[in-house]
Amino acid sequence: MNIQYGIGFVEVELKELFDFVIGGDWGKDPDFTDESYSLAYCIRGSEFRNWKENKGKTASLRKIKTSSVNTRKLKQGDILVEISGGGPEQPVGRTVIIDKSVLAYKSDIPKISTNFLRLIRITEHIDPNYLNLFLTFFYKSGEIVAYQGGSNNLRNLKFEEYALIKAPIPPLAEQHRIVTKIEELFSSLDKAIERITTAKQQLKVYRQAVLKWAFEGKLTNLTNENVISRVDEVAEVIDPQPSHRTPPEFIDGIPYVSIKDCDYGSNTINFDGARKVHANVLKEHVERYSLKKGDFIIGKIGTIGQPIHIYLPQNYTLSANVVLIQPRGINGKYLYYYFQSNIIQTEFKKGQKATAQAAFGIQKVRALPIRVPLPDEQEKIVLEVESRLSVCDKIEEGIETSLLKAEALRQSILKKAFEGKLVPQDPNDESASKLIERIKTERERNSLVKGKKE
């Protein structure tokens, strides 16, 4: 990292600050019966995503061997580091700190970590919140990728190497001041981000309102010459893979695009991350359909019905979990925006069981009702919609820029802290060098006592 640590800071390998390190446990299903097992909440990597809001409340209830629970039971100040499960977009190495609120949730049931995480308990002479802030800063800097191993799709943390990372340690009193100041600044930053996020949600609501007004005729002076048609009367509706057999993977092949490869936020397809299949699959598909400008696909599972434009040339193929829509007797943009509206979502939800996974068959797509005005009125609607949505796009672009700046500011605050520029230094503080020496002396003494007992 390109950073000059603060005057008086001492760089210490992480392992020199560890008092206790252990892996997690996953145990058995909660209905497992064995007197030597007891209930515990297992915190997983999936809890990290919304840690600030949930603080581990979504942890999985498991039956764990009681002796294992007693060894791994989390305490205030413990740090959990993710050691497995990372991927290309999200490296391993994320950390969270256990505080009172984590332990207070259903306090009669102990909390442990799963085996994809590692518990780090540090010496009492270091503020755990300070160390966790440094580990967060290190992770966000991107340096963490040098401590990863494993395959492209599943990354693991090289923990022994990770433990050799040098952390900048100031006097203990200064650590406390840094933590207090950062929490104060982050609190203000979080409130600003909350306001920005609210604006983003309001923009999403406005987008849907524009589409609703458009197809109700409120954006244009429509005539009454509207025809209610089925989608298959104005477009080709094609199941790209009617056999629903997934072709075998072929490393040097062409992308086999499924719904997981669609990014609705940016209206793009991630061809690089898509499964690769033999080019012969494309030849088979071309015999059944060929893609043209204005065509789009919708997902048959997950976020059902949401459209995303396809790209030309056709150097990829489509999977069985999408439906190809090819506008032929209608303005293509009109149909595309129609599918973006909640009108389509409402139609798909009709008759769907509340407990069922969102999914549908191609016959339902073909039978969807659609209001079709005259061609010139379709064009007017498209122009009105696009003029308003283009304004939304510019506003959203500004919002995304603000969110990126907020994240950069968070990292900048941490950088200043470790440069010794965030809080005043006090000459009366015990020096960091004496603090580290005391930690080493105590560790040696404990090691000697342990050796005599053995």
Side-chain angles (χ1 to χ4, degrees), residues 190-422:
D190 288 339
K191 289 176 183 177
I193 291 173
E194 185 178 345
R195 290 193 293 270
I196 295 170
T197 303
T198 299
K200 187 176 181 179
Q201 290 300 318
Q202 291 172 339
L203 196 61
K204 185 177 180 180
V205 172
Y206 176 72
R207 283 180 183 275
Q208 278 302 318
V210 167
L211 295 171
K212 181 175 183 292
W213 298 333
F215 300 117
E216 288 177 349
K218 294 180 179 178
L219 298 184
T220 55
N221 296 319
L222 293 182
T223 68
N224 291 324
E225 297 183 41
N226 286 276
V227 176
I228 303 298
S229 298
R230 289 165 46 114
V231 168
D232 62 0
E233 292 175 338
V234 294
E236 294 291 333
V237 181
I238 298 171
D239 194 337
Q241 189 80 0
S243 67
H244 288 197
R245 289 196 303 268
T246 302
E249 192 165 6
F250 189 75
I251 295 176
D252 296 323
I254 60 170
Y256 182 72
V257 174
S258 72
I259 199 64
K260 71 176 179 60
D261 306 310
C262 298
D263 184 344
Y264 292 108
S266 60
N267 192 36
T268 58
I269 296 173
N270 178 18
F271 294 106
D272 291 336
R275 177 189 180 93
K276 301 299 188 295
V277 299
H278 200 281
N280 286 341
V281 178
L282 177 59
K283 293 179 182 177
E284 295 171 7
H285 283 206
V286 170
E287 292 177 1
R288 298 184 57 248
Y289 64 85
S290 59
L291 303 180
K292 296 181 181 179
K293 185 178 180 181
D295 293 354
F296 58 89
I297 57 175
I298 60 172
K300 294 166 66 175
I301 59 174
T303 308
I304 61 173
Q306 283 294 317
I308 192 162
H309 272 124
I310 55 87
Y311 296 82
L312 298 175
Q314 189 175 342
N315 53 358
Y316 58 93
T317 188
L318 302 171
S319 80
N321 66 12
V322 303
V323 173
L324 173 62
I325 309 291
Q326 298 184 303
R328 296 296 179 260
I330 194 171
N331 184 305
K333 289 184 177 181
Y334 177 92
L335 186 61
Y336 178 79
Y337 288 127
Y338 203 91
F339 268 85
Q340 274 199 336
S341 72
N342 282 335
I343 298 171
I344 291 294
Q345 291 296 307
T346 300
E347 290 294 330
F348 278 131
K349 288 175 184 175
K350 286 181 179 177
Q352 181 182 317
K353 294 180 180 178
T355 56
Q357 180 185 10
F360 59 88
I362 195 167
Q363 296 304 327
K364 187 166 186 176
V365 183
R366 289 173 176 154
L368 286 171
I370 179 171
R371 186 179 296 275
V372 184
L374 295 172
D376 61 332
E377 292 175 343
Q378 293 176 35
E379 187 173 351
K380 288 178 183 177
I381 289 173
V382 168
L383 289 173
E384 290 295 333
V385 166
E386 290 186 337
S387 68
R388 286 165 173 78
L389 294 190
S390 64
V391 174
C392 291
D393 290 341
K394 290 180 180 177
I395 295 173
E396 190 165 25
E397 186 179 328
I399 287 174
E400 293 299 333
T401 299
S402 296
L403 289 173
L404 289 173
K405 286 181 177 179
E407 193 58 39
L409 178 57
R410 195 184 301 274
Q411 194 71 349
S412 177
I413 290 170
L414 291 172
K415 183 173 182 287
K416 279 190 174 182
F418 304 123
E419 289 176 337
K421 300 176 181 177
L422 191 65

Side-chain angles (χ1 to χ4, degrees), residues 28-210:
K28 308 286 186 179
D29 290 335
D31 56 358
F32 178 74
T33 304
D34 188 312
E35 289 185 357
S36 65
Y37 282 70
S38 54
L39 287 172
Y41 277 108
C42 271
I43 295 174
R44 306 157 295 178
S46 56
E47 269 71 63
F48 283 28
R49 183 173 300 168
N50 296 309
W51 185 261
K52 191 180 297 182
E53 294 79 18
N54 297 329
K55 291 297 183 74
K57 290 184 177 66
T58 56
S60 185
L61 188 64
R62 304 286 293 175
K63 276 282 183 71
I64 310 293
K65 203 158 190 176
T66 303
S67 58
S68 179
V69 173
N70 292 337
T71 304
R72 292 168 172 80
K73 184 178 178 181
L74 297 176
K75 298 179 180 179
Q76 186 176 345
D78 285 350
I79 295 173
L80 300 181
V81 57
E82 183 183 40
I83 62 168
S84 187
E89 302 300 322
Q90 181 180 279
V92 286
R94 294 180 298 170
T95 64
V96 295
I97 190 164
I98 304 302
D99 60 19
K100 288 181 180 179
S101 62
V102 178
L103 302 176
Y105 176 69
K106 297 190 176 179
S107 58
D108 56 320
I109 300 177
K111 282 79 182 173
I112 67 170
S113 68
T114 184
N115 43 12
F116 273 35
L117 307 178
R118 190 155 295 179
L119 160 62
I120 296 172
R121 189 167 294 152
I122 65 171
T123 171
E124 63 181 5
H125 303 297
I126 298 293
D127 187 329
N129 291 288
Y130 171 85
L131 188 62
N132 186 57
L133 286 168
F134 170 73
L135 295 177
T136 300
F137 173 72
F138 186 87
Y139 180 86
K140 293 288 187 180
S141 74
E143 297 285 330
I144 194 68
V145 296
Y147 297 84
Q148 284 193 132
S151 65
N152 287 335
N153 295 322
L154 183 62
R155 310 290 172 85
N156 300 312
L157 185 67
K158 299 176 182 177
F159 189 79
E160 289 185 4
E161 295 180 21
Y162 179 80
L164 299 178
I165 293 170
K166 291 186 176 181
I169 304 299
L172 182 57
E174 188 172 345
Q175 293 175 38
H176 296 330
R177 292 196 297 273
I178 287 173
V179 169
T180 300
K181 186 63 177 179
I182 287 176
E183 287 178 347
E184 175 190 327
L185 294 174
F186 277 12
S187 176
S188 298
L189 189 57
D190 288 339
K191 289 176 183 177
I193 291 173
E194 185 178 345
R195 290 193 293 270
I196 295 170
T197 303
T198 299
K200 187 176 181 179
Q201 290 300 318
Q202 291 172 339
L203 196 61
K204 185 177 180 180
V205 172
Y206 176 72
R207 283 180 183 275
Q208 278 302 318
V210 167

